Amino acid sequence: MKNNRMPETQSLSIRTAESIMERSPLLHLCNGHNGKWSYDYGVVLRGFEALWRRTGEERYFRYIRKQMDHFVGEDGSILGYSPEEYNIDHINNGKLLFALHEETGEEKYRLAADRLRGQLEHHPRTSEGAFWHKQIYPYQIWLDGLYMGAPFYLQYQLAFAGGAGLEDVTRQFLLCERHTRDAKTGLLYHAWDEKKVQPWCDPETGLSPHFWGRSLGWFAMALVDVLELLPGGQADGPELRRILTDTLTALRRYQDEASGVWYQIVDCGDRKGNYLEASASSMIAYATAKGIRLGALDESWRQMLDRAFRGIVDEFVLETKEGWINLNKNCQVAGLGGADRRDGTFAYYISEPIVTNDQKGLGAFLQACVEYELALPDAGRGEASRAEMPDRTAVSASADKVRSVASGMTGTEGGGTLGSV
């Protein structure tokens, strides 16, 4: 591999995608997934879809198709998927089915999308109509679930249901914010239990104890992905834009002054054991960049975005001796309740493993790179020379910012995904 290094003039999004393809030819055989239908793949593959649409390079589309075809049968069946589990995480990979169906015309992708949409038709809900996170987590709204389910739900209704029922998609965000937002900080708690009986929740409010960075990242990503597709006249569009602005405004207050990125527990930066975390920081940067591109955020947000993206590269990105891009300091997994009785305390969130190249983090980083680079000069090109870029954009060329050999690193494929977020 030493003689096959990627050119330094390639954009950071391309270098990251090429690293993933070389390191992980089959996503389901990496990171301890052992072939299961895991939502992580969809986070990575959405980055590949965005890069394919930006560059027109068919190898990125072929990579998506290869991953999905392992699971999707000719009859639309999905290997390892059981709709009766009513797990909102299982919807996420379905986002790739629309491009696959549109590009190939193969009916199996439409049938698989129908299958996932069928789960949502019967998925259990709170009394107000919000999807439970999972059947095994009854009456609970988790911020993560908005990313897993809402963008697929919206795109399905637009593509295959004549645009009907969009208010049910937007309702998910309205209810989530209503029940999880903290009036003092503006941040959203990780989860809320309608019944107020879970061991991890406040018995009076039903809220989990902390503001977990990645859960806020999932929520922000979901908002911009939905806003991208939501028809302009949809009644809840202005409210979703308001929620996006308010959520990012709250997060901006906790952007680390020195590094430009965010902590695992967002509002506890000075607390012993807390650490700067890559996946959350990448998600927040992605949502900010996309919000600016869509016009949901004005240009005043670019300063926060530039600091965040530069910070992500400086704090988390390393280049291996093979020329691959590594993303360090990813929380491997975090959740609430379940068999492990996760209690949502500060000590719990800090105790979860910190790994390199977790697929959730890599996928979010790839998506952030593509969005950030779309704002650069000559954004339509697949490659960009460092010499042609102004200082602000030099981070996307990557070579000077990520020049470090990661020899001797452990965990370059991360570890097994132990939970649902």
Side-chain angles (χ1 to χ4, degrees), residues 127 229 344 398:
S127 63
L229 297 173
S398 77

Side-chain angles (χ1 to χ4, degrees), residues 46 49 53 94-99 102 149-161 166 169 229:
R46 282 284 287 171
E49 181 183 356
R53 292 188 185 281
K95 298 170 186 176
L96 285 306
L97 297 169
F98 303 104
E102 181 180 357
F152 169 87
Y153 188 10
L154 174 61
Q155 194 163 0
Y156 184 95
Q157 295 305 109
L158 292 171
F160 301 134
L166 302 190
V169 180
L229 297 173

Side-chain angles (χ1 to χ4, degrees), residues 17-36 38 40-42 44-45 48 62-72 79 357 359 362 413:
E18 297 292 336
S19 299
I20 293 170
M21 293 171 73
E22 291 187 37
R23 183 189 287 123
S24 306
L26 293 171
L27 293 171
H28 63 273
L29 297 182
C30 300
N31 295 66
H33 293 309
N34 299 317
K36 73 177 181 179
S38 176
D40 302 54
Y41 319 143
V44 175
L45 296 179
F48 274 87
R62 290 195 298 269
Y63 185 75
I64 296 169
R65 189 174 185 181
K66 181 180 181 181
Q67 310 306 316
M68 294 295 287
D69 278 355
H70 172 77
F71 292 97
V72 179
L79 182 66
N357 294 336
Q359 288 176 356
L362 273 177
E413 282 299 331

Side-chain angles (χ1 to χ4, degrees), residues 346-397:
F346 179 87
Y348 160 69
Y349 283 108
I350 301 308
S351 73
E352 289 287 8
I354 304 168
V355 300
T356 298
N357 294 336
D358 176 83
Q359 288 176 356
K360 298 177 288 296
L362 273 177
F365 177 63
L366 177 56
Q367 292 187 56
C369 287
V370 175
E371 278 297 333
Y372 190 77
E373 291 166 8
L374 280 170
L376 305 182
D378 301 314
R381 300 188 315 178
E383 298 185 5
S385 168
R386 283 176 292 164
E388 296 171 356
M389 291 183 178
D391 290 344
R392 184 182 74 79
T393 64
V395 290
S396 72

Side-chain angles (χ1 to χ4, degrees), residues 186-208:
L187 297 170
L188 278 62
Y189 289 97
H190 185 178
W192 175 72
D193 171 28
E194 181 180 30
K195 296 297 184 180
K196 304 176 183 178
V197 298
Q198 294 300 319
W200 49 259
C201 80
D202 183 305
E204 294 185 4
T205 66
L207 289 165
S208 58

Side-chain angles (χ1 to χ4, degrees), residues 129-169:
F131 292 123
W132 293 4
H133 191 61
K134 300 180 184 181
Q135 184 165 253
I136 62 171
Y137 299 144
Y139 300 98
Q140 297 170 41
I141 301 174
W142 294 20
L143 300 185
D144 330 22
L146 277 294
Y147 180 81
M148 303 303 163
F152 169 87
Y153 188 10
L154 174 61
Q155 194 163 0
Y156 184 95
Q157 295 305 109
L158 292 171
F160 301 134
L166 302 190
E167 69 282 353
D168 191 38
V169 180

Side-chain angles (χ1 to χ4, degrees), residues 299-310:
E299 285 295 316
S300 68
W301 287 91
R302 196 167 294 280
Q303 181 179 8
M304 169 179 145
L305 172 62
D306 288 344
R307 287 187 62 230
F309 194 82
R310 187 176 296 111

